[in-house]
């Protein structure tokens, strides 16, 4: 992604996006993470965030119709606030600390591979949608 300039408007866009993304992450995690010994809530928000950022990146790159403010609000802001590498890392270390090496390994592998796949899939979805209904 191109580097955006440093302006108060862009900082505000990141702040608003981060707040909305953080609240959405918390709510979705509470909704899906029940009495499960596997961190499905964090996995879901991280994979969904990868899909969303893949879609945003592809749409913005392909069409050129996304303003710098909207792009930073949605990527650094919303997706940055929504996804959580730090929580993923803590959960992985906790699984390892509990001696659950297989579960920790599965979590790390699924998170990384499915996350990369979701970014790719997000871009593919946008490319497919644009080929059906090109933006004018």
């Amino acid at each position: 992604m191109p580097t955006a300039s440093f302006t108060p408007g862009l900082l505000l866009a990141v702040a608003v996006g981060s707040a909305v993304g953080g609240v959405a992450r918390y709510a979705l995690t509470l909704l899906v993470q029940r009495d499960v010994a596997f961190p499905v809530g964090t996995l879901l928000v991280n994979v969904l965030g990868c899909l969303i950022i893949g879609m945003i990146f592809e749409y913005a790159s392909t069409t050129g119709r996304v303003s710098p403010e909207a792009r930073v609000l949605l990527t650094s802001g919303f997706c940055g606030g929504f996804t959580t590498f730090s929580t993923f890392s803590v959960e992985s270390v906790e699984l390892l600390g509990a001696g659950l090496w297989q579960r920790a390994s599965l979590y790390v592998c699924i998170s990384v591979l499915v996350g990369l796949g979701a970014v790719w899939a997000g871009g593919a979805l946008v490319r497919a949608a644009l080929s059906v209904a090109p933006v004018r």
Side-chain angles (χ1 to χ4, degrees):
M1 284 188 229
T3 304
S5 58
F6 184 82
T7 67
L10 290 175
L11 291 178
L12 180 61
V14 171
V16 169
S18 296
V20 173
V23 169
R25 175 184 69 230
Y26 183 73
L28 185 57
T29 301
L30 285 179
L31 185 66
V32 300
Q33 188 70 49
R34 299 296 177 191
D35 296 322
V36 181
F38 194 81
V40 289
T42 304
L43 179 62
L44 177 64
V45 298
N46 285 341
V47 170
L48 188 55
C50 288
L51 180 70
I52 292 167
I53 204 166
M55 294 171 74
I56 294 164
F57 179 76
E58 186 64 33
Y59 185 79
S61 299
T62 303
T63 67
R65 297 182 59 137
V66 180
S67 70
E69 293 80 11
R71 189 175 192 167
V72 78
L73 180 138
L74 295 170
T75 57
S76 296
F78 179 80
C79 289
F82 185 64
T83 60
T84 175
F85 188 76
S86 57
T87 301
F88 157 73
S89 298
V90 165
E91 290 168 344
S92 299
V93 168
E94 286 177 342
L95 289 169
L96 290 169
L100 301 170
W101 293 88
Q102 288 179 325
R103 192 173 295 168
S105 298
L106 180 65
Y107 182 44
V108 169
C109 289
I110 288 173
S111 295
V112 172
L113 295 175
V114 175
L116 291 171
V119 171
W120 177 86
L125 285 170
V126 168
R127 285 189 296 279
L130 290 175
S131 70
V132 171
V135 176
R136 298 175 201 262

